[in-house]
Amino acid sequence: MAIMITDECINCGACEPECPNTAIYEGGVEWTWGGGTELDVVDFGDGTVVNGKDPQNPVSDEFYYIVSDKCTECVGFHEEPQCAAVCPVDCCVPDPDVVEDEETLLAKKAWLHAEAV
């Protein structure tokens, strides 16, 4: 399950530098697939191909947000999601709309960081 940031976020920014995948962004800030990863080109398998450096629309304009497709819950890096560990208001919580098992999260980590599986 990916992590999400709730609207209780106080925009302190403590979570952002903790993410090993650079999946956390300040509200209103565009994100990229390549930022913090080894992705130069992203092929979605449906004919859609995106340059890893191309800016993507912010998920939130108001609060810090997590790009769920880049979130691995810190699996393979840490024992627990680091954003949740440092959040002073406990607003980094599991996203019930993005449920993934450990095997899927490890595969995502390998894909993001160009690791052999």
Side-chain angles (χ1 to χ4, degrees):
M1 176 175 305
I3 303 298
M4 61 182 264
I5 298 175
T6 69
D7 60 4
E8 295 173 10
C9 177
I10 59 172
N11 289 316
C12 71
C15 57
E16 186 178 20
E18 300 301 322
C19 182
N21 302 314
T22 314
I24 302 174
Y25 297 85
E26 186 175 355
V29 172
E30 294 176 329
W31 62 278
T32 65
W33 285 100
T37 75
E38 296 297 319
L39 297 175
D40 292 323
V41 175
V42 180
D43 184 343
F44 292 98
D46 63 359
T48 305
V49 178
V50 176
N51 183 312
K53 294 180 183 176
D54 286 350
Q56 306 296 311
N57 292 329
V59 174
S60 171
D61 289 325
E62 195 172 342
F63 303 103
Y64 274 82
Y65 64 88
I66 298 174
V67 176
S68 59
D69 288 335
K70 290 179 70 175
C71 179
T72 61
E73 296 179 47
C74 294
V75 169
F77 294 104
H78 304 286
E79 295 283 320
E80 63 182 334
Q82 295 302 285
C83 56
V86 300
C87 182
V89 292
D90 297 324
C91 66
C92 295
V93 299
D95 185 343
D97 294 332
V98 185
V99 178
E100 298 167 311
D101 61 22
E102 185 172 354
E103 182 179 330
T104 302
L105 293 169
L106 286 170
K108 187 191 298 187
K109 175 189 179 282
W111 175 68
L112 288 167
H113 298 282
E115 300 170 351
V117 183

